[in-house]
Every structure is written in structure tokens, then in C-alpha cells.
Amino acid sequence: MIQGSGRCHYHPERTGLGICVECRRVICRECTTQFEGINRCASCLEKRRKALEGPAERREWSVSNVLLALIGAAVVYGGVLLLAHMASGL
């Protein structure tokens, strides 16, 4: 027998309407999403959606990106030193 004895896995006080094809849990009318005649719970539907999207785009730091960041930091630091020197000379 399926876990939950015909009661919704997410709402035990409700009668189950169907079974999620992914996790095999009994789900009620509010929890089921039927797509092309197949029942899925919201949790499994979200997992499937994320799997179809694929991994998030990952950007790696290349050598040129690191050098550009260091040059930018040096320019900012040099500007701060220049302003400090000019302020102390007044």
C-alpha cells in the first residue's frame, strides 16, 4: 500500500486525488499539477523545471580579468594617495 493511506502527503487532512509520477506520493487536488495527463507534485515539478534549465551560468576569473582588477585597484589607490598628498600640502 502507498504511504499515507490515500491521504495527501502535504495535507494529511485531505483525501488524495492522484500519485506523483516522480516521488510516488499521494497528492490532493490542490497539490497536483497535471501536464499531458501526468500527475506531479509542486516539489517534483520544480525539480524538473530546474533540471531543464541547466546549471546557472558560471563566470570564471581569467588572467586578463585579474590583471584588469589589479590595475583598477592601483589607479584608485594612486588617486587616493595623490589627493592625500595635495591636501597635506595646502
Side-chain angles (χ1 to χ4, degrees):
M1 180 134 211
I2 296 173
Q3 285 181 336
S5 301
R7 309 303 282 168
C8 178
H9 174 77
Y10 299 101
H11 305 102
E13 71 281 359
R14 298 181 187 166
T15 303
L17 173 71
I19 299 171
C20 175
V21 296
E22 301 286 330
C23 65
R24 308 301 298 163
R25 293 180 178 145
V26 176
I27 46 182
C28 66
R29 180 179 309 275
E30 287 77 19
C31 291
T32 188
T33 300
Q34 218 177 57
F35 181 70
E36 296 179 347
I38 299 172
N39 291 320
R40 285 194 177 84
C41 68
S43 176
C44 290
L45 199 60
E46 180 65 16
K47 287 177 192 172
R48 180 168 280 270
R49 184 188 65 79
K50 285 183 179 178
L52 291 174
E53 284 180 358
E57 185 178 331
R58 185 175 172 197
R59 296 187 179 179
E60 305 251 350
W61 282 77
S62 65
V63 174
S64 60
N65 289 345
V66 172
L67 287 175
L68 186 60
L70 289 173
I71 291 169
V75 168
V76 169
Y77 182 70
V80 169
L81 287 178
L82 181 63
L83 286 174
H85 180 69
M86 289 173 53
S88 66
L90 294 176

